[in-house]
Amino acid sequence: MSITTQSLSETYTRPDIKSRAKLAMGRTQPVGYARIFALPKFPTATDRELNIYEHLTKVHSTHGGQSLIHLKTDNLMLSLEDNTMLVDFAKAEAEDPSPRKQIDKCRIIYKSRSFRRPAGNKSYGLPILCDFGEARIGKKQESGPFVQPHIYRAPEIIFEMPWGNAVDIWNLAALIWDLFEGEHLFGDIFDTKGGHDPFKHLALMVGLIGPPPSEFVKRSETTEQCFDSTGSWVALEDATVPSVSLESLERRLSGQEKESFLRFMRSMLKWLPEERKTANQLLQDPWLL
């Protein structure tokens, strides 16, 4: 199977369903993989998502992590201690409606309206994880490469290896970096046309955390396109390993605090999924205490 970036994408629309078919053309196969996603007209209250919520309520608080969540900034919501923010927001919209544009008979786009800051001594509450429509239950999954957003994608997903809850830990590291540093850790992974370039992505991983161990390379034949048996980078015609490091990209901290934060990040950014810390272990990390 190839991880070449050539792709075709078509979208078909019917009144009751929207389907997208993506074909990735492999070097050694006419079709590397094909996936068709069918999205119902009202997908937010599906039985599957409700089952995920029900499962999460039954997971004991000391659990190491069985539920596989789709982590990105869009799926993090802030609770509010000051409910009058919502009242004022609705009032402002009623008195001065946001600019809007009619696209067609079924779609109108609106300019975003910002909330005011919490009043008095109140603040924003704890963040809440939401949108479990793409979550999975179980220790091992073997679905295709469209599991995570490109910038949060774990290496085993790029190579279409079997995967488990450790992909969330890799995802979490990239998300924490985004929120803390204000820029994507894996941002420079796209080609000149804006498409995801897996070679650039993997080369950046090597630059940031070093080459993969031979054990990782053995887990997929596809790794031969990028690494030799020892983990050295061989895809020199497709991408070069950048001269970059976590130390050079981290600009907010210094001294012991910076060292502690980077150790925290490296405990999640491991090539071998089983070497990444679990969620429970991360909660005990010195950088969070």
Side-chain angles (χ1 to χ4, degrees):
M1 185 176 293
S2 172
I3 57 170
T4 181
T5 56
Q6 296 177 7
S7 64
L8 299 174
S9 179
E10 296 180 326
T11 300
Y12 306 93
T13 304
R14 297 204 319 252
D16 61 327
I17 199 169
K18 179 182 287 185
S19 300
R20 172 171 294 176
K22 288 183 72 73
L23 303 177
M25 311 306 292
R27 293 173 179 166
T28 57
Q29 296 175 291
V31 178
Y33 51 78
R35 301 287 186 269
I36 297 179
F37 297 95
L39 302 177
K41 187 175 181 181
F42 303 105
T44 56
T46 61
D47 290 340
R48 182 173 174 279
E49 186 165 359
L50 293 175
N51 288 338
I52 295 289
Y53 278 102
E54 182 180 359
H55 172 76
L56 289 175
T57 62
K58 297 177 180 178
V59 176
H60 193 271
S61 60
T62 59
H63 200 279
Q66 290 287 339
S67 303
L68 312 175
I69 312 300
H70 190 53
L71 292 176
K72 56 179 182 175
T73 52
D74 293 352
N75 293 349
L76 290 174
M77 307 290 284
L78 283 178
S79 55
L80 299 176
E81 296 178 357
D82 180 10
N83 290 333
T84 63
M85 293 172 60
L86 301 175
V87 176
D88 290 347
F89 181 90
K91 181 179 178 181
E93 182 63 28
E95 294 177 350
D96 182 21
S98 301
R100 64 203 63 201
K101 181 178 180 180
Q102 182 91 32
I103 301 301
D104 52 41
K105 293 182 180 180
C106 302
R107 185 181 177 211
I108 302 175
I109 59 175
Y110 301 81
K111 182 180 178 180
S112 297
R113 178 185 293 274
S114 299
F115 280 99
R116 64 165 174 79
R117 298 187 66 82
N121 295 325
K122 295 183 179 181
S123 182
Y124 296 105
L126 293 173
I128 297 175
L129 190 62
C130 64
D131 189 0
F132 296 102
E134 291 300 322
R136 301 289 187 272
I137 297 176
K139 293 183 177 181
K140 184 178 179 181
Q141 307 289 326
E142 296 191 11
S143 58
F146 308 116
V147 175
Q148 299 170 296
H150 293 129
I151 57 175
Y152 300 137
R153 192 162 291 175
E156 62 266 33
I157 299 298
I158 296 178
F159 287 114
E160 296 192 50
M161 300 175 182
W163 54 275
N165 54 62
V167 299
D168 277 343
I169 302 302
W170 180 283
N171 195 149
L172 178 63
L175 180 60
I176 290 174
W177 187 280
D178 288 359
L179 296 175
F180 187 70
E181 299 292 336
E183 60 184 12
H184 296 312
L185 180 59
F186 296 102
D188 187 18
I189 58 172
F190 300 97
D191 58 29
T192 55
K193 296 182 179 180
H196 178 240
D197 186 331
F199 292 100
K200 286 186 68 176
H201 197 164
L202 291 162
L204 181 55
M205 290 181 183
V206 174
L208 291 173
I209 64 173
S214 57
E215 173 60 30
F216 179 86
V217 177
K218 295 176 183 177
R219 295 183 180 183
S220 171
E221 294 181 357
T222 314
T223 58
E224 296 176 358
Q225 298 177 56
C226 302
F227 305 107
D228 64 17
S229 60
T230 66
S232 296
W233 183 258
V234 296
L236 300 177
E237 295 183 1
D238 297 291
T240 57
V241 176
S243 299
V244 67
S245 66
L246 292 176
E247 284 81 2
S248 65
L249 294 181
E250 203 297 304
R251 301 181 179 92
R252 295 193 61 190
L253 303 173
S254 61
Q256 183 60 39
E257 192 173 12
K258 179 172 182 173
E259 292 180 11
S260 179
F261 174 67
L262 294 182
R263 279 197 300 269
F264 177 61
M265 295 299 299
R266 286 193 173 97
S267 71
M268 297 178 275
L269 296 173
K270 300 284 189 181
W271 289 96
L272 293 174
E274 63 270 24
E275 291 185 355
R276 296 170 202 156
K277 283 189 175 182
T278 66
N280 285 329
Q281 290 171 334
L282 290 172
L283 288 174
Q284 304 304 316
D285 190 275
W287 193 73
L288 293 179
L289 298 178

